[in-house]
Amino acid sequence: IAADAEAKISFAAQTFNATGRPFYLAVGFRKTHLSWRFPQPWLDLYGSAGSYTGGMVAPAELSPWNPMDNATAATYRLYYKACISFLDYNVGRVLSALERSGLSSLTAVVLHSDHGWSLGEDAQWEKFSNREEATRIPLTIYVPWLQPTQPTDSSSFPSTDALVEAVDLYPTLLQLANIPLPADALTAMGDAPTPTHATSLLAATAQPNHHHHRSFPIGGTSIVPLLTLPSTADASLWGAGKGGEKRGAFSQYPRCPKNEANLWQANHCTNLERCEFPIMGYSVRTRDWRLTLWQRWNGAELAAAWDQLVASELYDMTQMENSTTTGTKNETYDFPGAYTNVVDDPANTGTVTALASLIRGNFR
């Protein structure tokens, strides 16, 4: 994949230099999905626990919902780290190719994943949940012609803890490229400024043919304003068009228990059509909380039966954002309350009601 991207960047640079035609390139690395594959040197970085034989996959009896022995768990975590490092190396190859092309100063780069990954936290593995480990993803955006409002050391780019969703990337990239959104989606972007960097590669993209343009709603919000804020800025300075941060980040994942007396056991929906799902989980993450509602699923309508709640989960995330022991972010999911469901605590009734309303409004 990296070699293919290198070749396409070279071709795109030649085309741009000859004609001025810009390019968009999506480079998708499948790893670190199972099965884990990587060259031995990347395992050696972490002190190999034996030679790598290639393509290790969890045995059938070691599903994400069953206990795993400590030795196997340690090996899986080791292999995951090696995969991450090998992926990092290949991303570096792509960025180096962009640098060699001479177009790096004209190119916006976005690095993200499609989901997270559990490595045994709370006895969960892989990606099959609405939990923080499965839904939170890395996101790095570099736009060379956008400068933060305060000077930043070149080796330490600004960051933010604002709520952002993957659906925000589409309107963000369009705005960076000066491509208009459909009229009914523009209001979601509010008063976000449009970059006018005339020599930017993306900004030179041709406009769509409006004679054949059909308007449709967009589910995300451009985060370009965030890219111009220093890391110390209050995230409430942007978002949702009229000021104020995005209210929540949403996700959903189904459950198909084989025996509803034990909802937690053997509840994957592999190889089932969505019309066959019995339960759908809807989750919202705010700065302070994560609420997940498990609703009966109407397969005929492909919609939630909001009057049929199966179960719910509420987790206090405040200690993750501000560790009481270090004063810095704690992103290891080992903070108090990380796996304590407090949905039945009477003190949280108002929170549950408000967040449940937020979920229903988003997944209408």
Side-chain angles (χ1 to χ4, degrees), residues 164 192 219 293 326 347:
V164 172
L293 302 178
T326 65

Side-chain angles (χ1 to χ4, degrees), residues 75-86:
T75 300
Y76 281 14
R77 293 190 185 106
L78 183 67
Y79 284 4
Y80 184 82
K81 290 179 180 179
C83 262
I84 290 290
S85 293
F86 185 48

Side-chain angles (χ1 to χ4, degrees), residues 196-212:
T196 57
H197 188 75
T199 59
S200 75
L201 181 64
L202 292 178
T205 302
Q207 301 299 301
N209 185 333
H210 290 282
H211 293 292
H212 301 286

Side-chain angles (χ1 to χ4, degrees), residues 141-158:
I141 301 177
Y142 176 58
V143 185
W145 59 89
L146 288 183
Q147 297 295 325
T149 55
Q150 293 182 5
T152 303
D153 185 272
S154 60
S155 64
S156 179
F157 291 99

Side-chain angles (χ1 to χ4, degrees), residues 221-267:
T221 302
S222 172
I223 61 173
V224 167
L226 266 182
L227 305 181
T228 63
L229 292 176
S231 57
T232 56
D234 186 346
S236 66
L237 295 175
W238 85 283
K242 301 302 180 182
E245 186 183 0
K246 182 187 288 282
R247 297 180 66 189
F250 300 90
S251 61
Q252 68 181 97
Y253 192 81
R255 287 287 185 238
C256 303
K258 305 303 181 288
N259 178 5
E260 292 207 7
N262 295 313
L263 291 172
W264 59 272
Q265 190 175 43
N267 57 15

Side-chain angles (χ1 to χ4, degrees), residues 8 10 88 93 112 129 158 168 171 197 252 259 311 338 355:
K8 288 177 177 175
S10 177
D88 182 68
R93 288 179 58 184
H112 71 98
S129 76
D168 297 331
H197 188 75
Q252 68 181 97
N259 178 5
L355 295 182

